[in-house]
Amino acid sequence: MRVHLCVVGRLRAGPERDLVDDYLKRFDRTGRALGLGPARVTEVDDRKGGGMAAEADLLRRALPSGARLCVMDERGRQMPSPDFAQRLGRWRDDGTQDLAFVIGGADGIAPDLRAEADMALSFGQMVWPHMLVRVMLTEQLYRAASILAGSPYHRA
Ligand SMILES: C[S@@+](CC[C@H](N)C(=O)[O-])C[C@H]1O[C@@H](n2cnc3c(N)ncnc32)[C@H](O)[C@@H]1O
């Protein structure tokens, strides 16, 4: 199951991008034997003039056709890491070929795109900057792969 992170905004070189690259590499390595990955980031421009609707058009074009869609949203569903891992495993076992996560820009994700999603996932009720959400999501993907692989990275 290929994993796509479709995100609004460009992440400049720096510590956040280094972390994202590192977790993506770890996810790909751990996920390979499990039928998970590769995971890739697709960035679309933020549209200060056009706002959420213009960004939603760009995001839709970036989504692989038929992809299962999970939007990142502070109003979404919170879940423990093992549940997230089981959810990924179930989607993989259901035959999902492409799983896409969408991270919005400064204004968030357009309501019509949110309504199309299979799931809205929350990292808590606080609003985080998109670059941190990228780091957190790639870490959780790696953690999920580690849990499914039975490796000791996740100890809680
Ligand atoms: C700076 S936030 C935008 C928040 C925007 N003001 C809103 O009301 O939706 C950028 C993106 O990061 C993601 N995000 C921020 N906080 C989040 C959280 N607690 N859980 C999940 N995703 C989050 C969402 O995809 C959001 O669109």
Side-chain angles (χ1 to χ4, degrees):
M1 181 171 74
R2 293 176 291 269
V3 176
H4 310 262
L5 276 68
C6 299
V7 299
V8 176
R10 311 269 168 196
L11 196 53
R12 285 193 295 272
E16 293 93 357
R17 204 165 89 185
D18 291 347
L19 279 169
V20 166
D21 290 346
D22 185 44
Y23 287 130
L24 287 177
K25 244 184 254 149
R26 293 187 199 207
F27 172 74
D28 286 356
R29 208 181 308 134
T30 309
R32 199 168 299 135
L34 306 168
L36 293 177
R40 294 291 173 264
V41 177
T42 304
E43 297 181 318
V44 307
D45 285 329
D46 50 2
R47 290 289 158 112
K48 301 218 165 53
M52 281 188 292
E55 288 167 359
D57 285 345
L58 294 176
L59 285 166
R60 274 200 192 85
R61 267 179 254 156
L63 294 171
S65 69
R68 196 178 278 280
L69 178 60
C70 178
V71 291
M72 299 305 300
D73 188 331
E74 64 275 13
R75 291 151 292 195
R77 177 165 174 179
Q78 298 179 36
M79 59 175 74
S81 296
D83 290 11
F84 180 59
Q86 296 314 318
R87 172 70 60 128
L88 286 186
R90 209 162 58 236
W91 282 338
R92 173 202 59 193
D93 297 344
D94 285 350
T96 299
Q97 299 288 310
D98 291 283
L99 169 63
F101 292 92
V102 167
I103 301 174
D107 295 329
I109 298 170
D112 54 343
L113 183 56
R114 275 212 318 260
E116 289 166 27
D118 295 281
M119 184 171 89
L121 178 65
S122 169
F123 287 153
Q125 292 175 20
M126 290 180 174
V127 173
W128 300 97
H130 69 88
M131 74 281 267
L132 291 185
V133 176
R134 277 195 219 194
V135 175
M136 292 152 82
L137 178 57
T138 50
E139 196 276 344
Q140 286 300 308
L141 285 167
Y142 168 54
R143 185 177 294 274
S146 304
I147 290 169
L148 292 173
S151 91
Y153 177 70
H154 181 75
R155 291 191 194 84

